[in-house]
Amino acid sequence: MKKLFAIFSFLSLFASPVWAQSAEESNWYTQLQAMDSSQITILAILGVVLFVIVLLLILMIYLMNFMSAILKKENPELVNEPSWWESFKERFVTGKMDDVGGKAEKAKMMQDHSYDGITELDNFMPPWLQWVFVGTMVFAVIYFVNYTVLGNGPTGVEEYEEELRLEAIAAEYRKANMLASIDESSVVFDESAGALNAGKTIFQNNCAACHAADGGGGVGPNLTDEYWLHGGSIQEVFKVVKYGVVEKGMIPWQDQLSPEEMQQVSSFILTLVGTTPANPKEPQGELFSPAAPEPTVTDSTTVVASIE
């Protein structure tokens, strides 16, 4: 059992970087949820096949141990022979160490690498490290030929541009979600030219019939003066546009306009304040004064140092 545990521990050293990289590069759980039933079925079949292969590998190792024990019982001279695991470990993992102070070790003394009587010993490289080194060289050659010579696969610049493209799509998605969640508590005055132009178009198509094209009022109140029936802040104007004032004939627009469009037309309405309409309606409601910004509190204990 200890030998089996050692084998799987050794294999996990090579498998763990692969699993770690896979976990960093993609969210496997999200990808699994996105699979359809046929893909999940194929994945399950591959999992079963992999499990059977691992089971056969364990069974093969067990049989090798069993056969080794039988042979040693039948041939006593094999008792002192190293087991197949010890032979495998010496050949591919640890290597064979030279006896300390022996002839083999002294032969590896690098006499020309000596300083104050301290001589460098040309130690051997463990087989597992040699294979890792060879593997990196093979991988480097394949990587260079594939990406540089054959031109297969994306370059670093192409991968960067692809990441920028995906991030731009994600940014648009986040923006769309943010705009879709605008309500009377999160709405803000959008003074950008694009938003105001869009708001003007919406106003002309939907609001001018009651409030006049220049906002001077008609069936609805005058929107150019400083008097408001339901408040003149961006939040209050948005709320009126969204829910309407049914008892006074204004319909709610939340079913016909998106949250972004209601924000745009509300922002445009506020730009009409202070303009001069052709035929203004008399003021209605109460005088609205925008809330003054809170004064900045300064620390009276602050000492201002000056250099004269």
Side-chain angles (χ1 to χ4, degrees):
M1 182 60 68
K2 292 183 178 180
K3 294 179 180 180
L4 293 177
F5 179 76
I7 291 174
F8 287 112
S9 300
F10 176 72
L11 293 176
S12 65
L13 294 176
F14 296 95
S16 57
V18 177
W19 287 109
Q21 184 178 6
S22 300
E24 294 174 357
E25 290 180 352
S26 61
N27 189 338
W28 64 269
Y29 182 72
T30 304
Q31 293 182 351
L32 184 62
Q33 287 182 324
M35 292 181 178
D36 55 24
S37 58
S38 61
Q39 291 175 326
I40 294 177
T41 302
I42 295 175
L43 186 63
I45 294 174
L46 291 177
V48 172
V49 172
L50 180 61
F51 174 76
V52 172
I53 292 175
V54 173
L55 192 62
L56 291 175
L57 179 61
I58 296 175
L59 181 61
M60 183 184 67
I61 295 174
Y62 173 78
L63 290 177
M64 291 178 67
N65 281 328
F66 179 76
M67 294 299 296
S68 177
I70 294 297
L71 291 175
K72 286 183 179 180
K73 289 182 178 181
E74 294 181 351
N75 301 286
E77 63 273 8
L78 296 178
V79 174
N80 297 326
E81 294 291 329
S83 64
W84 68 271
W85 166 247
E86 292 172 346
S87 301
F88 173 84
K89 184 172 63 174
E90 180 179 325
R91 183 174 180 181
F92 297 104
V93 183
T94 61
K96 185 177 180 181
M97 297 289 294
D98 297 327
D99 295 334
V100 179
K103 293 182 179 180
E105 185 182 66
K106 291 181 179 180
K108 294 180 180 180
M109 289 291 184
M110 304 177 67
Q111 301 296 337
D112 53 334
H113 291 194
S114 177
Y115 185 77
D116 284 349
I118 301 175
T119 304
E120 183 178 350
L121 175 62
D122 186 17
N123 286 315
F124 78 104
M125 181 182 293
W128 70 269
L129 188 56
Q130 295 179 19
W131 288 112
V132 170
F133 178 75
V134 172
T136 57
M137 294 298 100
V138 173
F139 177 81
V141 172
I142 296 175
Y143 185 91
F144 177 80
V145 172
N146 183 64
Y147 285 91
T148 305
V149 179
L150 301 179
N152 297 328
T155 63
V157 175
E158 291 172 342
E159 289 182 351
Y160 175 71
E161 292 175 348
E162 178 65 13
E163 290 293 333
L164 290 180
R165 186 186 69 83
L166 295 177
E167 178 56 30
I169 296 175
E172 289 294 331
Y173 179 76
R174 291 193 299 269
K175 181 180 178 181
N177 287 340
M178 181 176 63
L179 293 175
S181 63
I182 296 175
D183 57 16
E184 55 271 21
S185 62
S186 61
V187 64
V188 294
F189 176 74
D190 191 348
E191 58 182 352
S192 63
L196 294 180
N197 289 333
K200 181 179 180 180
T201 301
I202 297 171
F203 183 87
Q204 297 295 333
N205 295 334
N206 301 282
C207 310
C210 295
H211 296 280
D214 56 5
V219 177
N222 184 356
L223 301 177
T224 63
D225 56 35
E226 297 180 351
Y227 290 82
W228 296 83
L229 292 171
H230 306 284
S233 67
I234 184 64
Q235 293 82 9
E236 291 166 327
V237 174
F238 181 92
K239 185 176 181 180
V240 172
V241 172
K242 181 177 181 179
Y243 299 109
V245 186
V246 180
E247 63 273 13
K248 294 185 178 181
M250 180 174 177
I251 64 172
W253 291 96
Q254 58 181 339
D255 296 331
Q256 303 182 46
L257 299 177
S258 68
E260 181 184 12
E261 291 174 330
M262 289 188 290
Q263 176 177 264
Q264 292 169 344
V265 71
S266 300
S267 300
F268 173 74
I269 289 173
L270 291 182
T271 64
L272 296 174
V273 178
T275 60
T276 304
N279 187 22
K281 190 177 181 180
E282 69 280 0
Q284 294 175 278
E286 299 180 357
L287 179 66
F288 174 77
S289 298
E294 296 183 0
T296 304
V297 179
T298 58
D299 187 357
S300 60
T301 62
T302 303
V303 178
V304 180
S306 61
I307 301 177
E308 299 181 356

